[in-house]
Amino acid sequence: MIPRPALRAGRTSRPSPAGFDRRLIAPMVLGSVLNPINSSMIAVALVPIGIAFGAPPAETVWLVSALYLATAVGQPVIGRLVDTYGPRRLYLTGTALVGVAGLLGALAPSLGALIAARVLLGFGTSAAYPAAMRLTRSEAERTGRDSPAGVLAALAVAAQTVAVVGPALGGLLIGLGGWRAVFTVNVPLSAACLVLGALWLPRTRPSHGGRRGADLPGMALFAAMLVALMLFLMGPRLERWYLPLLVAAATAAFALRELRTPDPFIDLRVLGGNGPLLATYLRQFLAYTTSYAFMYGYTQWLEQGRGLSAATAGLVLLPLSATALTVSALTGRREAVRAKLLTGSALQFAGSAALLLVGAGSPAWLLLGVGALLGVPQGLVGLAAQNALYRQADPERIASAAGLLRTFMYLGALGASAATAAFYPHRADTAGLHGLALFMLAGSALLLATTVPDRSLGRLTPRKA
């Protein structure tokens, strides 16, 4: 049982049930899938969008990067606003922006306008996941019953499911209404979130930090630091030497600001003293760097190195998604953070090693088996990191901490993209795939090395009263 502290953001509008309020689950889950569905649907829309605007792949790729950039910055920033002003108003504002972005994308007259719509979409989809984490924590405090594993698992499984079906849904929408339908679908999704959120999300009072005002300078410096870092990771080249300098300058200014302000955006003193949470962020980065390196690199190799069609390559990756979803569904209701991390990192290492055995003449069972093996850690590690953060983060800053967890995931994705480009300078051949596998082995070894000695992970799940 956890104590019932005096909540700054308490319910004021309707009676609440004794247990977890199940009415919250629908808006929480629907809102949290807005980001993965938009991240995945765009994959099948890049070619028709490029044809429509006469744009090469080097330009249409910004439709992907813009969402990553906006979301990586927006998740922790909006998460802090959720902590300060409560989940309801940020959830409603964010999901409303999703609808506006959908309309702008559907009517966009140029690629530039479409990229701007994706940026707005990224910020809009950044509110729901931090809001869901804040609501989960608030419900645990209100009821005194600490059993969020099932709710957190529902969020993870829903996001993974939508990410899997996203490309198929995008293809169906394009077949029915052209590429603009990929944006238009956000309008009814936004409307559903607004209705469910208005009906069921509790009204809250701003915290004391909200009365003092948000740390806007700190947020701006954090955004500058992160955008410069991500732009460099997207294309690390010598002519971009100024970006690391900008990252260093913004980091120094951000640290000075946060250490001096009474109510910082990110409390560096508290965060610096929370070694377990910092380790969780590092593990998130390492795990998703390896995971995205496989998804990006293996897919390209299947098409160029093995000579499969795009459709067939997608079918080869189905075991990856199937095992990830199955593992998440079967293990989601049990936290077992340390066991999941140990098993996941060990299997990620094994899967990366198995990739060294793959070649142009490999049998189909090996191609499918590598994906199935690497799907297991994808299902385990993401859930473990989410549950670890829930236990380790300051309850008053749970939403911003959750947003920062997503930021480290996107940094991993961009790091993986840079590694894939480095190992495939001209085409995705087998030698490049094996080099990428060694890179993945190194990341998996580091993930395992940060997990094995961390005994605090075994003490995260509180004892039942």
Side-chain angles (χ1 to χ4, degrees):
M1 300 284 285
I2 62 174
R4 301 183 187 221
L7 296 179
R8 291 177 180 173
R11 297 170 181 269
T12 62
S13 60
R14 58 182 168 82
S16 300
F20 188 95
D21 191 346
R22 298 289 174 180
R23 294 171 294 187
L24 299 176
I25 294 178
M28 286 168 58
V29 169
L30 184 59
S32 66
V33 303
L34 291 175
N35 188 272
I37 197 171
N38 280 286
S39 298
S40 56
M41 282 195 306
I42 196 67
V44 294
L46 294 177
V47 171
I49 289 173
I51 294 173
F53 292 116
E59 294 179 11
T60 58
V61 73
W62 276 100
L63 293 169
V64 177
S65 301
L67 187 75
Y68 275 158
L69 281 168
T71 307
V73 173
Q75 290 265 358
V77 170
I78 296 176
R80 182 57 185 144
L81 296 177
V82 169
D83 286 326
T84 303
Y85 297 103
R88 178 187 171 94
R89 65 184 70 186
L90 270 302
Y91 178 97
L92 294 177
T93 301
T95 51
L97 281 179
V98 170
V100 173
L103 285 174
L104 292 177
L107 301 173
S110 65
L111 182 63
L114 205 58
I115 292 172
R118 290 282 289 180
V119 171
L120 186 62
L121 194 60
F123 284 120
T125 60
S126 293
Y129 179 70
M133 293 294 282
R134 175 76 258 177
L135 286 165
T136 302
R137 168 61 67 178
S138 297
E139 280 295 284
E141 293 174 345
R142 179 185 64 81
T143 62
R145 299 178 183 179
D146 190 58
S147 56
V151 177
L152 297 181
L155 294 175
V157 172
Q160 288 182 353
T161 302
V162 166
V164 170
V165 303
L169 176 61
L172 176 63
L173 291 171
I174 292 171
L176 293 174
W179 63 263
R180 293 184 187 272
V182 170
F183 289 85
T184 308
V185 73
N186 285 291
V187 177
L189 289 175
S190 169
C193 288
L194 288 171
V195 171
L196 291 172
L199 286 175
W200 303 125
L201 297 189
R203 298 181 184 276
T204 56
R205 297 186 300 273
S207 68
H208 297 312
R211 288 194 287 272
R212 285 197 293 266
D215 179 20
L216 296 180
M219 293 177 181
L221 288 169
F222 175 81
M225 172 185 71
L226 196 58
V227 168
L229 174 61
M230 295 184 76
L231 286 174
F232 181 73
L233 288 176
M234 287 164 57
R237 297 189 296 273
L238 286 178
E239 58 266 29
R240 294 189 170 190
W241 58 267
Y242 58 91
L243 287 175
L245 294 180
L246 182 57
V247 172
T251 301
F254 174 72
L256 287 174
R257 165 71 190 182
E258 299 306 276
L259 291 172
R260 292 178 178 179
T261 188
D263 189 37
F265 162 48
I266 295 177
D267 195 331
L268 295 181
R269 291 187 181 89
V270 173
L271 184 61
N274 193 341
L277 181 58
L278 291 176
T280 293
Y281 287 141
L282 175 60
R283 282 189 284 264
Q284 178 87 340
F285 171 75
L286 292 172
Y288 278 94
T289 299
T290 301
S291 177
Y292 277 107
F294 176 73
M295 285 191 287
Y296 295 155
Y298 193 53
T299 304
Q300 292 183 50
W301 176 82
L302 286 172
E303 295 183 36
Q304 294 185 338
R306 184 57 188 266
L308 302 181
S309 66
T312 305
L315 291 176
V316 172
L317 287 178
L318 279 180
L320 173 78
S321 304
T323 53
L325 287 173
T326 301
V327 167
S328 295
L330 292 177
T331 67
R333 298 191 68 86
R334 296 190 61 186
E335 295 192 25
V337 172
R338 190 167 190 270
K340 287 180 180 179
L341 286 172
L342 286 173
T343 304
S345 54
L347 289 178
Q348 194 173 74
F349 187 90
S352 301
L355 204 56
L356 292 170
L357 304 176
V358 171
S362 296
W365 65 264
L366 180 58
L367 302 182
L368 295 168
V370 170
L373 180 58
L374 283 169
V376 177
Q378 184 170 310
L380 289 175
V381 176
L383 271 175
Q386 183 175 254
N387 281 298
L389 176 130
Y390 181 85
R391 300 295 179 194
Q392 295 163 339
D394 177 3
E396 291 296 321
R397 291 174 175 265
I398 185 67
S400 53
L404 201 55
L405 186 71
R406 287 288 181 93
T407 295
F408 277 91
M409 181 182 77
Y410 291 122
L411 286 174
L414 289 175
S417 179
T420 303
F423 286 107
Y424 294 156
H426 304 295
R427 66 186 302 272
D429 56 16
T430 300
L433 177 67
H434 290 168
L436 192 62
L438 292 174
F439 171 80
M440 293 166 56
L441 273 172
S444 301
L446 287 173
L447 177 61
L448 192 59
T450 63
T451 303
V452 171
D454 192 349
R455 300 294 177 182
S456 69
L457 294 170
R459 300 189 293 270
L460 287 179
T461 305
R463 298 174 182 175
K464 295 182 180 180

